[in-house]
Every structure is written in C-alpha cells, then in structure tokens.
Amino acid sequence: APLVRGLPDFTGLVAAVGPAVVNVKVVERASNTRTSGNNPFGGEDDALGDFFRRFGIPRDSIPNIPRNAPPRQGEGSGFFVTSDGYLLTNAHVVDNASKITITLTDRREFTAKVIGIDEATDVAVLKVDGSNLPTVRLGDPARLRAGEWVVAIGSPFGFDNSVTAGIVSATARPVPNASSQTNYVNFIQSDVAVN
C-alpha cells in the first residue's frame, strides 16, 4: 500500500489564520546624505550609484549625488501573536523605519512601533494599539519533522493572503553568521515559496 495518499486541503487553515496575517508598510528615515566618504556613488544600495557603475563611468567624473534624498518606502508581511496587538515581521522590513502602517485583510489600519529587533534571526516584534485582533498560534519547532507539509501565508505588495505550500526539507539547519562565519542560528529549511 502507498505510504502517502491524496493531498492536504489547506482551505480551513487559511480561513482560520489568514485574518491574522497583515501587510506591513514602512517609510524609512530620510538620509542626510546619499554619499559615503569620498565615494560619489553613495551607499552600496544606492540606485543612482549602481546605474553609473554598470556603465563603467569613472567615479572621479561624477559630481556628488544630491543630498537629502526623499525617504524610501517598503513593505512586507507579518502576523499577530497576541490579540492586544503584538505582531512579528522581518527585521529587515522595519529596520530604520520612521513610520510603520499595519493593514489587516478587513482593511483596518494601525500605526505600529518597534518593540525589538533580532538581526541574527531577521525577526522584529511590533506593537499596535488594538484589542480582539486575530492571532496565529505559535507551534513547537521541536515537534516538527522533515517531510511535513508547511504553508506560507503572506501579504506581499499589499495582496491579501497569498498562500503557498511545500514541505519541511530539514530542521535545525545551521546557517553561518555573515560577520563571523560561525554557525549562529539553526533554521527550519523548507521549499515553500515565500511570495
């Protein structure tokens, strides 16, 4: 007899926890300058500098990039873990944020503040002023096994409840810390697409 029969139906799961998944819109703090030291191209992630570099234009021939560039905007996904407004998102989404707006699937909006950031795991805790908010129950990673089905529910680009499925590829996967090249955090590895 086959060990696996049929495919799981995730519709009940999405209906139950989907309302707790939120869109996180961020306005970054304005930078006083887009240049870095003697580098007229600005920081490493500066779009104008990247443009000039791609065409091989010498640094010395370019005037300084304008100062006081407008603040950048970004967004990501998150989910409530308490009904009084604590939620989790990615640290890189809210790092350097001056304003954070949380939008639920029912179109309610809240202003959030950062409670804490852990760069090693790329997780941030945010808080909004609210009550009776929908929540996601956190599971026990010690009980998770390779081969189990997993679902990712997100709100990319403002879309409500984008859902993808996959399996757990491995548990406790060591990932080297970029700065020290030592294994710092063990992650759950999965092939589920995070859209």
Side-chain angles (χ1 to χ4, degrees), residues 12-190:
L13 173 67
V14 174
V17 300
V21 178
V22 299
N23 177 260
V24 180
K25 286 191 177 82
V26 173
V27 176
E28 291 186 359
R29 287 185 177 86
S31 173
N32 288 336
T33 178
R34 297 303 296 252
T35 61
S36 172
N38 293 328
N39 179 3
F41 291 104
E44 286 185 23
D45 61 348
D46 180 71
L48 186 58
D50 287 343
F51 174 80
F52 287 121
R53 271 193 291 274
R54 268 186 258 136
F55 289 96
I57 298 173
R59 294 180 180 192
D60 298 343
S61 66
I62 301 170
N64 283 343
I65 293 173
R67 294 177 176 266
N68 299 324
R72 295 189 308 178
Q73 298 185 13
E75 62 184 300
S77 300
F79 57 92
F80 285 108
V81 292
T82 67
S83 61
D84 63 346
Y86 285 94
L87 66 139
L88 301 179
T89 189
N90 294 108
H92 73 266
V93 171
V94 297
D95 187 34
N96 198 35
S98 64
K99 182 180 180 185
I100 304 170
T101 304
I102 305 301
T103 306
L104 282 72
T105 56
D106 63 9
R107 297 291 168 241
R108 285 185 289 168
E109 288 191 351
F110 297 89
T111 299
K113 63 180 177 180
V114 176
I115 300 300
I117 289 179
D118 181 34
E119 292 180 4
T121 57
D122 193 29
V123 174
V125 178
L126 308 180
K127 175 72 168 77
V128 302
D129 290 328
S131 60
N132 298 319
L133 295 166
T135 62
V136 172
R137 183 177 54 86
L138 297 178
D140 181 0
R143 297 178 59 191
L144 191 66
R145 297 183 304 158
E148 285 192 72
W149 283 100
V150 287
V151 172
I153 305 173
S155 182
F157 312 113
F159 299 133
D160 293 340
N161 286 354
S162 175
V163 182
T164 55
I167 63 166
V168 174
S169 304
T171 61
R173 181 71 80 199
V175 176
N177 181 325
S179 61
S180 67
Q181 296 302 312
T182 59
N183 294 335
Y184 185 71
V185 178
N186 288 332
F187 287 94
I188 298 166
Q189 181 184 4
S190 173

